Amino acid sequence: MNADIRYSIVIPVYNEEAVIDQTYRRLKKVMDSTRELYELIFVNDGSNDHTTALIKGFRDHNAAVKLITFSRNFGHQIAITAGMDYASGAAVVVIDADLQDPPELILALIAKWKEGFDVVYAKRTKRKGETFFKKQTARLFYRLMSASTDLDIPTDTGDFRLLDRRVCDELKHLPEKNRYVRGLVSWVGFRQTAVEYERDERFAGETKYPLKKMIKLSLDGLTSFSFKPIKMATYAGSVIITSGLSYLAFLLLFKIFAKSVVAGWNLVIALQLVLTGIVLTMMGIIGEYIGRIYDEARNRPLYIVSECYGMMKKERKVKRVG
């Protein structure tokens, strides 16, 4: 760790040419006001616009700017991980480039860190500019995560947070491929607190988290920190067996006492369709877990860096068992 650098700001970027200049200006103004040494680590997650050239331009006028460029798009959570791997500050702040999370709030995160907290996460009280559907699905996801895992993962929070150096060092030892960073931060523990804020609309450009990516992030979170989805097969099987035996008993009793047979082909077909649907759903859930096990077993690197600008390229190292 470079002892001279006090703060490392990690900014994952993907095709952010419309907003990156304003993001840099606001971050620089905030960090200059601390009067302490800092670094701005932009992690280019395979952008194919002019984002890279713009960031290199910032570096030409400010030595605090550093750039990590991936060989391709590896995903937002991996970009955050890479930024923390390369960060050298005593405190590391993760913030997206779209300016929905105000850079000015970093000063409040730092103030809490100086009070002795190891993790200071930003908690949203309002989400401006987001659709009703996105707000409700996000609310549902946080409640589902809370009910599915024993971890205390804060609701209504994103990846905008400050981490103490020792927290980052512990995160480097976690080798998961399908990462849910905010869950991993909760898992490592340490002293944590929140700073509340109102989330702004995106300054410019398009969201980098469409529905497909949000679903994947949700699956990564659930499968990484909870076995309850896979246990649903046992619960569903018990319910189906109990219902089937009860229905069979009803048919036998009806035949004995009513001296007739219940004509229920439509009901039987409907029950068969429901049963098949449940079985296929459970197979899909089990498949998600198996797929992630396979992904871990291949032991491929989390990311590949094609270029480092303003810093030395290095290899990510994790603790292995055996």
Side-chain angles (χ1 to χ4, degrees), residues 154-292:
T155 59
D156 302 315
T157 62
D159 295 305
F160 183 27
R161 60 190 60 208
L162 179 149
L163 309 174
D164 185 79
R165 163 51 46 192
R166 58 178 178 162
V167 178
C168 282
D169 288 343
E170 291 302 326
L171 289 173
K172 288 181 182 180
H173 300 152
L174 304 180
E176 285 96 328
K177 301 295 188 298
N178 298 284
R179 301 178 74 80
Y180 182 62
V181 174
R182 66 198 75 164
L184 294 174
V185 172
S186 295
W187 185 86
V188 298
F190 296 98
R191 193 179 178 204
Q192 307 194 11
T193 191
V195 171
E196 295 185 343
Y197 75 111
E198 293 185 8
R199 198 176 201 215
D200 294 328
E201 296 184 37
R202 182 177 240 282
F203 180 80
E206 299 178 352
T207 178
K208 303 307 183 293
Y209 259 115
L211 181 60
K212 182 179 178 180
K213 288 188 177 181
M214 287 299 298
I215 292 174
K216 183 184 184 304
L217 181 64
S218 301
L219 287 174
D220 288 343
L222 288 171
T223 55
S224 296
F225 297 97
S226 176
F227 294 108
K228 288 186 178 180
I230 205 168
K231 290 180 180 179
M232 288 173 57
T234 302
Y235 304 144
S238 299
V239 171
I240 291 170
I241 291 173
T242 302
S243 300
L245 291 175
S246 299
Y247 185 60
L248 180 60
F250 167 75
L251 293 178
L252 290 173
L253 290 173
F254 194 86
K255 179 176 177 61
I256 293 171
F257 294 105
K259 305 298 182 182
S260 62
V261 179
V262 177
W265 287 110
N266 291 335
L267 179 60
V268 171
I269 292 172
L271 290 174
Q272 184 63 41
L273 290 173
V274 172
L275 175 60
T276 302
I278 292 175
V279 169
L280 291 175
T281 300
M282 292 302 106
M283 288 179 64
I285 292 174
I286 294 170
E288 286 289 340
Y289 280 91
I290 293 174
R292 280 159 171 73

